[in-house]
Amino acid sequence: MSSQITFLNDLLWGSVLIYLLIGVGIYFTYRLSFIQFRHFGHMFKVMKNSRKSDSAGISSFQALCTSLAARVGTGNMAGVAVALTLGGPGAIFWMWLIAMLGMATAFAESALAQLYKTRDDDGNYRGGPAYYMEKGLGMRWMGVMFSVFLIIAFGLVFNSVQANSISQAALVAFGWSPIYVGIGLVIMTGVIIFGGLRTIARTAEILVPAMALCYLLLALYIMAINIEKLPDIIMMIFRSAFGLEEAASGALGYTIAQGMINGLKRGLFSNEAGMGSAPNAAASATPYPPHPASQGYVQMLGVFMDTMVICSSTVAIILMSGEYVPHSEVTGIELTQRALSSQVGDWGSVFIAVAIFFFAFTSLIANYSYAETNLIFLEHNHKIGLNIFRVVVLFMVMFGALADLPTVWAMADVSMGMMALINLVAIVLLSGTVVKLATDYNKQLSLGKVPTFDRNDYPELHAQLEEGIWDKQKS
């Protein structure tokens, strides 16, 4: 089994997805006229009215927090450390690059998710890649494939990854047995996921901003006391990315390739741009301005916050500590804990254990919400089926708490790669619709109007859109 997983990983990440992710990011950056740079400030303006919602949807702020809950997890702490150890400091450059390009990809997938959203049997908004594959492309089979991979990835494998990081952090910081940590996680996760989508959104809305702010403030403090090291660290990242540190050795090409592969893998795992995960949260929102493109801006901000802010905080903590050793056996969350402890004392390891708990725990519940949406797409909306699935999810949480880290990461890479592959093909096929939405939104914005979607302006989409959702958006 391990050899088959390794083969799939090498195939997906050694060639196919590396080029596809960068290519699609460049494609949408160009097609949307560099929207992530031109309208950088507008992302924050959209958040001013992001607390509005209605009986069918959660608020844009809750959708952002839910997507950040899924994004901000082990990828930001353990994943960054793994990328540094395996790919060198140059991997961080590639993480940044895929984030900047991925912001345009995130706009595309989230705007489409909003456009093609539906209502479930309880009247709540649901949507995501599976839904726009079925409605926008007329390819339900493609949506079914995506849903199956997402359920495996987010409902099962990724939750094992998050549980693994929590148990390892607790073991290092407190010496707690993974089996007891796993039992505690199962109980806490069960209470929330059995409460439904709105309980998950409310939990994320409270926990995500608080934990992100605390982590950012600590990273800024470490940067402040080591400010003289900052220029050298930035230069090291860029020199390593292009092999300038190894120019005299015969391993130049290999070094660059390792940095690129590990940076892109860990970058995508962290910010999820193009993977097709965050659109499931974006579709659940009642957007303001009332236009599908507004959720594109919200989720662009999510990618920026995840990688450029939170992942970069971990980079600063590790590289300024002096604990980083290339190809060391100390990696993952243990490296991050050691790095922080060397700067602030023994309580740093405890802080990381607490932070990774909140980061990874909110990821657990957000990941489950994505899987539930796709289970509903597969027409398994009956309560018994959902409850059985919830029990299986809890079993995987327990498995992750006790599993071996390399095996879990490898399984996560394969399932994530298959999801991304299908989703990237779909959003490129629907790119014409994405451009129309962005053009319409920005035309109204330039005229001083509140951008509002009017389905009558899109007669070609009438048969594809859910009745009763966009009908009364414009008087």
Side-chain angles (χ1 to χ4, degrees):
M1 174 64 89
S2 60
S3 61
Q4 294 167 330
I5 292 174
T6 301
F7 171 76
L8 283 173
N9 260 336
D10 291 343
L11 178 64
L12 284 170
W13 293 105
S15 55
V16 179
L17 279 175
I18 295 294
Y19 300 114
L20 195 56
L21 278 168
I22 295 176
V24 172
I26 293 172
Y27 175 73
F28 277 110
T29 296
Y30 173 74
R31 288 292 307 269
L32 297 172
S33 303
F34 298 86
I35 193 170
Q36 67 269 52
F37 304 108
R38 290 190 304 113
H39 293 168
F40 183 80
H42 187 65
M43 297 187 301
F44 298 90
K45 290 180 180 178
V46 171
M47 297 309 297
K48 287 183 179 179
N49 296 293
S50 64
R51 305 305 287 267
K52 298 181 179 181
S53 64
D54 59 23
S55 59
I58 60 178
S59 69
S60 290
F61 183 70
Q62 287 177 322
L64 174 63
C65 288
T66 301
S67 65
L68 276 173
R71 288 184 175 113
V72 180
T74 56
N76 301 79
M77 292 184 173
V80 168
V82 169
L84 274 170
T85 305
L86 297 180
I92 306 307
F93 170 83
W94 298 107
M95 285 184 70
W96 289 340
L97 176 65
I98 200 62
M100 297 308 295
L101 293 176
M103 287 170 71
T105 310
F107 177 94
E109 61 184 0
S110 294
L112 288 171
Q114 259 293 315
L115 178 67
Y116 290 110
K117 67 186 178 185
T118 66
R119 282 192 178 93
D120 64 18
D121 292 347
D122 296 322
N124 298 316
Y125 290 141
R126 298 278 186 174
Y131 294 78
Y132 56 68
M133 290 169 193
E134 178 182 40
K135 292 178 172 294
L137 293 175
M139 299 180 183
R140 180 170 173 79
W141 62 268
M142 192 178 191
V144 168
M145 284 181 61
F146 177 87
S147 290
V148 169
F149 282 119
L150 185 142
I151 289 168
I152 293 171
F154 279 79
L156 307 176
V157 179
F158 278 14
N159 280 342
S160 295
V161 172
Q162 307 297 348
N164 183 275
S165 287
I166 292 173
S167 67
Q168 291 304 308
L171 181 64
V172 172
F174 308 113
W176 292 352
S177 171
I179 191 167
Y180 295 119
V181 174
I183 292 171
L185 276 177
V186 166
I187 294 171
M188 295 179 66
T189 305
V191 169
I192 295 176
I193 69 174
F194 275 90
L197 181 63
R198 290 184 184 274
T199 302
I200 293 170
R202 285 193 295 268
T203 304
E205 182 181 28
I206 295 169
L207 292 180
V208 171
M211 69 187 187
L213 182 60
C214 289
Y215 191 61
L216 177 60
L217 288 174
L218 185 59
L220 289 173
Y221 166 73
I222 291 173
M223 289 175 66
I225 64 176
N226 294 282
I227 194 68
E228 73 282 355
K229 297 180 182 178
L230 188 59
D232 289 339
I233 286 174
I234 293 174
M235 285 302 300
M236 178 172 63
I237 289 171
F238 280 88
R239 287 174 63 85
S240 179
F242 297 100
L244 300 180
E245 298 284 344
E246 300 83 8
S249 75
L252 175 61
Y254 176 79
T255 302
I256 295 175
Q258 285 300 106
M260 182 184 296
I261 291 170
N262 283 284
L264 293 178
K265 272 203 295 189
R266 297 278 74 83
L268 177 60
F269 180 85
S270 180
N271 68 55
E272 301 179 10
M275 195 191 305
S277 51
N280 293 276
S284 299
T286 301
Y288 190 88
H291 194 289
S294 66
Q295 270 301 303
Y297 285 103
V298 169
Q299 296 304 325
M300 278 206 306
L301 179 60
V303 172
F304 177 82
M305 291 296 296
D306 172 87
T307 304
M308 306 307 294
V309 177
I310 300 176
C311 280
S312 295
S313 296
T314 302
V315 172
I317 290 170
I318 293 174
L319 292 183
M320 287 183 167
S321 70
E323 292 289 323
Y324 164 69
V325 177
H327 309 294
S328 169
E329 291 183 3
V330 178
T331 186
I333 198 63
E334 185 180 353
L335 174 57
T336 308
Q337 285 178 300
R338 288 191 182 189
L340 187 58
S341 296
S342 72
Q343 297 293 294
V344 300
D346 291 341
W347 69 267
S349 181
V350 175
F351 177 88
I352 289 293
V354 174
I356 200 68
F357 168 76
F358 283 111
F359 279 25
F361 179 69
T362 51
S363 290
L364 283 175
I365 59 176
N367 288 349
Y368 166 77
S369 73
Y370 294 169
E372 181 180 281
T373 290
N374 284 268
L375 197 64
I376 289 171
F377 174 81
L378 296 176
E379 299 176 354
H380 290 282
N381 197 22
H382 47 83
K383 299 299 181 184
I384 294 177
L386 283 177
N387 287 335
I388 291 173
F389 179 67
R390 288 164 179 164
V391 171
V392 174
V393 169
L394 296 178
F395 170 81
M396 291 301 294
V397 169
M398 190 69 200
F399 165 77
L402 305 174
D404 182 47
L405 179 63
T407 302
V408 174
W409 275 113
M411 291 171 62
D413 285 340
V414 171
S415 52
M416 174 180 66
M418 293 304 297
M419 275 180 57
L421 188 62
I422 297 170
N423 183 58
L424 290 170
V425 171
I427 61 176
V428 168
L429 293 175
L430 288 167
S431 59
T433 301
V434 175
V435 173
K436 287 180 183 178
L437 290 173
T439 302
D440 179 42
Y441 183 96
N442 289 300
K443 181 180 179 181
Q444 294 185 56
L445 197 65
S446 66
L447 295 174
K449 299 179 180 179
V450 175
T452 305
F453 182 77
D454 183 1
R455 66 182 295 163
N456 293 319
D457 294 335
Y458 299 83
E460 72 279 12
L461 299 180
H462 277 192
Q464 300 175 0
L465 302 184
E466 182 86 354
E467 292 295 332
I469 290 184
W470 294 109
D471 295 354
K472 300 179 181 179
Q473 294 295 317
K474 196 171 187 176
S475 57

